[in-house]
């Protein structure tokens, strides 16, 4: 049979043209109405060509290559559960809203597809492309939501909605046609710069100057997620017997891990969102009585007796001991194996500990050879890290390393001292500076 004679093709040809191919551009108002009808609490549209999203296009198109328009949506979380000292209550709220916005995005895609508009929903939270190391997510919702006018990133680095404040979660629908108009960022930042998020974070991951210590947040808040689960596995593997295992992981931690694996993982904190007073719907109690707000919302989380997970010798460890002496501190290991020198270099800014680098002002020239040939310059000064390709400027310390040996050391499968004795790592310059460099990347 000729394809034109097939019943499916004949039926399609009998339809009016508008039903087969949607008009382009599509109405922006209609797209946002569909989003609201399916339950989105707010929605905004961005064109894929927005200059600020240039670095994201590849990631977005890896999910849906036809993407021309981004429909950013948000779902509101209930405030009091997110603020509860009982974190299972907060976690239930996070997971429920993640499920909700994933469902809303699916429903939008279904309706658009039925209209002949190609669309694909991204993932709100987990599951992601969780194969560490590397970027575990594809579509980054925060920069898209900002461009779509859903809010701005606050000091705590989450997006604050002008009305709902920090109590929102985000998702994005990727649409294969252009819209007839697009949104712009909100013309002010709802963040009040009150720094309550800084005061509440139990591991000091948020800094008053707006910088964010990814590794400290990841090590504590994400103790039962992703790479940190490897620590649990390793404890089980290396322990001789149950007594040995219990020395490493308490029965309470095992129970908590069971709970996370069975009923969706539990965040250990998320206090930065909980205490944020920004947003028209949220701000009133804070405006009325700041001291009372502090007593009711911030102090209970600060006073909470709980275990804080930190890397040995990290900024978080020092911070937590000083600031929250009543909280138990547990030293844990970093357990995401680094697969290449390239990945090691890319992760440096995430692992860098500003506090550990205090007083250090030095330039390091690294030369890797063997399975990877890479030259890189690392400058640490004024508690800031700068990584540049090649050898730039005058070096205080020059390090020559066999790439595989270096990775084995980073992954704790080989000892630095052995590598130095066997000249697989050679350090020219001050060993004191070299050791100071190491202290900036603990764990
Ligand atoms: C990676 C990620 C994280 C990382 C890094 C956080 C961060 N600031 O980006 C970690 C694991 C620490 C994290 C923690 C949390 N997250 Co998160 N996270 C994401 C994710 C997957 C991507 C974030 C992103 O776009 N970053 C890019 C840029 C714009 O962010 P940035 O802050 O400028 O820069 C950071 C990243 O680039 C990161 N980074 C750079 N390279 C790499 C490489 C790797 C391998 C990793 C892991 C990170 C990383 O480090 C930078 C410094 O922090 C999104 C979901 C998504 N698909 O978009 C959710 C998302 C940002 N997270 C969210 C939430 C709610 C949280 C938590 C509150 C979770 C919780 N319940 O405890 C905490 C808050 C911590 C904080 N104050 O930021 C929400 C925020 C909602 C909102 N209102 O904005 C999002 C949007 C999920 C969602 N669907 O709603 N998260
Ligand atoms: S708690 Fe205060 S400083 Fe932190 S994000 Fe909210 S408004 Fe900004």
């Amino acid at each position: 049979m000729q394809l034109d004679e097939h019943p499916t093709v004949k039926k399609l040809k009998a339809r009016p043209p508008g039903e087969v191919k949607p008009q382009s551009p599509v109405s922006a108002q209609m797209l946002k109405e569909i989003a609201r009808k399916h339950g989105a609490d707010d929605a905004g549209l961005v064109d894929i060509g927005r200059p600020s999203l240039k670095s994201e296009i590849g990631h977005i198109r890896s999910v849906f290559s036809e993407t021309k328009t981004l429909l950013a949506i948000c779902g509101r979380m209930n405030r009091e559960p997110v603020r509860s000292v009982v974190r299972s209550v907060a976690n239930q709220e996070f997971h429920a809203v993640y499920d909700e916005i994933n469902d809303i995005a699916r429903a939008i895609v279904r309706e658009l597809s039925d209209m002949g508009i190609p669309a694909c929903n991204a993932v709100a939270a987990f599951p992601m492309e969780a194969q560490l190391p590397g970027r575990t997510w594809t579509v980054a919702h925060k920069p898209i939501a900002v461009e779509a006018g859903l809010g701005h990133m606050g000091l705590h680095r989450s997006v604050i909605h002008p009305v709902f404040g920090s109590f929102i979660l985000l998702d994005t629908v990727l649409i294969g046609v252009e819209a007839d108009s697009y949104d712009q960022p909100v013309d002010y930042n709802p963040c009040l710069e009150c720094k309550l998020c800084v005061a509440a974070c139990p591991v000091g991951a948020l800094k008053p100057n707006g910088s964010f210590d990814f590794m400290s947040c990841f090590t504590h808040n994400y103790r039962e997620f992703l790479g940190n689960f490897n620590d649990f596995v390793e404890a089980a593997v290396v322990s001789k017997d149950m007594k040995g295992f219990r020395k490493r992981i308490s029965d309470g931690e095992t129970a908590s891990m069971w709970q996370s694996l069975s009923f969706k993982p539990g965040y250990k904190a998320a206090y930065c969102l909980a205490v944020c007073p920004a947003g028209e719907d949220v701000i009133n109690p804070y405006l009325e009585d700041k001291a009372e707000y502090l007593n009711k919302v911030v102090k209970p989380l600060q006073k909470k007796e709980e275990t804080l997970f930190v890397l040995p010798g990290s900024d978080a460890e020092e911070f937590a001991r000083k600031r929250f002496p009543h909280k138990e501190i547990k030293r844990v290991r970093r357990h995401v194996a680094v697969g290449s020198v390239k990945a090691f270099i890319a992760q440096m800014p995430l692992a860098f500990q500003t506090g550990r680098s205090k007083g250090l002002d030095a330039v390091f020239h690294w030369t890797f050879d063997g399975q990877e040939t890479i030259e890189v310059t690392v400058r640490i000064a004024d508690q800031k890290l700068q990584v540049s390709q090649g050898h730039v400027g005058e070096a205080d310390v020059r390090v020559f390393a066999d790439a595989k040996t270096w990775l084995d050391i980073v992954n704790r499968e080989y000892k630095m001292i052995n590598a130095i004795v066997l000249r697989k790592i050679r350090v020219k310059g001050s060993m004191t500076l070299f050791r100071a460099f190491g202290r900036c990347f603990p764990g």
Side-chain angles (χ1 to χ4, degrees):
M1 196 204 296
Q2 293 288 316
L3 192 57
D4 280 354
E5 297 301 314
H6 192 282
T8 308
V9 179
K10 278 164 107 179
K11 277 185 190 169
L12 196 78
K13 284 196 168 162
R15 285 191 195 169
E19 258 186 50
V20 182
K21 216 169 179 218
Q23 279 185 342
S24 178
V26 290
S27 153
Q29 196 191 332
M30 178 198 76
L31 290 173
K32 288 193 267 187
E33 270 167 16
I34 290 175
R36 291 215 175 82
K37 183 180 80 186
H38 289 294
D41 286 302
D42 200 359
L45 289 162
V46 192
D47 55 296
I48 188 84
R50 199 66 70 90
S52 59
L53 296 178
K54 204 171 164 205
S55 60
E56 293 297 319
I57 293 178
H59 296 291
I60 293 167
R61 291 224 162 115
S62 74
V63 177
F64 185 51
S65 60
E66 292 171 45
T67 310
K68 292 195 174 69
T69 296
L70 304 160
L71 171 62
I73 59 169
C74 73
R76 271 191 298 164
M77 287 186 286
N78 293 326
R79 286 195 290 280
E80 296 314 328
V82 171
R83 288 173 172 167
S84 173
V85 173
V86 179
R87 294 320 278 167
S88 56
V89 172
N91 283 319
Q92 164 65 15
E93 188 62 23
F94 277 104
H95 290 306
V97 177
Y98 278 133
D99 286 346
E100 229 168 77
I101 49 173
N102 275 327
D103 288 346
I104 292 167
R106 274 197 72 241
I108 296 170
V109 168
R110 173 66 56 84
E111 180 157 350
L112 294 181
S113 303
D114 288 348
M115 293 164 74
I117 299 172
C120 180
N121 44 310
V123 177
F126 298 91
M128 297 172 177
E129 301 291 308
Q131 230 189 9
L132 294 162
R135 175 163 156 159
T136 53
W137 66 97
T138 47
V139 178
H141 306 305
K142 284 193 292 186
I144 297 171
V146 168
E147 286 298 326
L150 296 192
H152 278 286
M153 296 229 278
L155 195 76
H156 57 18
R157 303 209 62 77
S158 292
V159 174
I160 307 181
H161 190 277
V163 179
F164 315 135
S166 291
F167 297 86
I168 53 160
L169 295 176
L170 308 169
D171 202 357
T172 310
V173 177
L174 317 178
I175 301 175
V177 292
E178 282 167 12
D180 60 9
S181 73
Y182 291 105
D183 294 292
Q184 293 301 323
V186 179
D187 59 10
Y188 67 97
N189 190 332
C191 175
L192 311 165
E193 296 181 17
C194 64
K195 299 189 174 56
L196 290 183
C197 48
V198 177
C201 180
V203 289
L206 294 162
K207 313 284 177 196
N209 66 1
S211 65
F212 179 63
D213 176 355
F214 166 82
M215 197 50 82
S216 295
C217 175
F218 186 70
T219 304
H220 173 62
N221 197 33
Y222 287 76
R223 175 64 187 157
E224 289 164 15
F225 288 65
L226 301 165
N228 296 313
F229 176 63
N230 294 10
D231 189 32
F232 184 84
V233 174
E234 190 174 313
V237 171
V238 301
S239 301
K240 279 204 197 103
D241 51 22
M242 202 55 207
K243 203 173 155 200
F245 179 72
R246 283 201 177 106
K247 261 193 186 162
R248 291 183 162 88
I249 308 275
S250 71
D251 282 353
E253 283 177 69
T254 302
S256 188
M257 188 64 84
W258 164 81
Q259 182 173 277
S260 277
L261 291 171
S262 307
F263 303 100
K264 296 192 174 174
Y267 300 96
K268 294 285 178 197
Y271 298 171
C272 53
L273 291 199
V275 299
C276 179
E280 285 163 44
D281 278 2
V282 188
I283 199 167
N284 208 33
Y286 175 75
L287 285 184
E288 276 182 351
D289 189 342
K290 291 198 181 70
E292 180 65 1
Y293 184 86
L294 208 70
N295 276 335
K296 271 195 176 157
V297 180
V298 185
K299 287 216 169 122
L301 295 170
Q302 290 176 322
K303 283 186 189 154
K304 182 179 169 160
E305 289 188 14
E306 61 186 328
T307 305
L308 303 178
F309 298 92
V310 299
L311 296 177
S314 61
D315 288 352
E317 181 174 31
E318 192 186 341
F319 173 89
R321 280 196 203 288
K322 272 197 203 141
R323 184 74 186 77
F324 298 112
H326 57 288
K327 298 191 193 247
E328 188 195 334
I329 287 165
K330 173 149 184 174
R331 293 177 135 206
V332 293
R333 289 291 197 168
R334 184 139 67 99
H335 272 270
V336 180
V338 182
S340 66
V341 170
K342 215 171 142 205
F344 165 75
I345 294 167
Q347 284 173 27
M348 271 187 172
L350 297 177
F352 181 64
Q353 301 284 285
T354 52
R356 302 296 90 186
S357 75
K358 208 170 180 180
L360 182 58
D361 186 346
V363 174
F364 301 83
H365 280 180
W366 289 79
T367 307
F368 293 97
D369 61 11
Q371 64 184 32
E372 281 173 278
T373 314
I374 295 179
E375 287 185 351
V376 67
T377 301
V378 180
R379 175 157 200 255
I380 300 176
D382 300 327
Q383 294 183 265
K384 289 196 184 84
L385 172 84
Q386 198 187 333
V387 183
S388 329
Q389 280 180 7
H391 287 165
V392 184
E394 280 290 303
D396 297 294
V397 180
R398 286 182 295 143
V399 187
F400 301 86
D402 169 58
K404 179 162 185 327
T405 307
W406 181 251
L407 291 178
D408 288 346
I409 292 168
V410 170
N411 294 331
R412 292 193 300 277
E413 289 166 8
Y414 197 68
K415 286 208 160 49
M416 174 80 84
I417 184 73
N418 295 348
I420 289 179
V421 170
L422 293 174
R423 295 181 59 74
K424 288 184 173 181
I425 310 275
R426 285 175 296 129
V427 180
K428 307 251 168 181
S430 158
M431 272 314 269
T432 309
L433 284 180
F434 183 61
R435 276 193 289 272
F437 175 92
R439 281 197 292 276
C440 297
F441 305 92

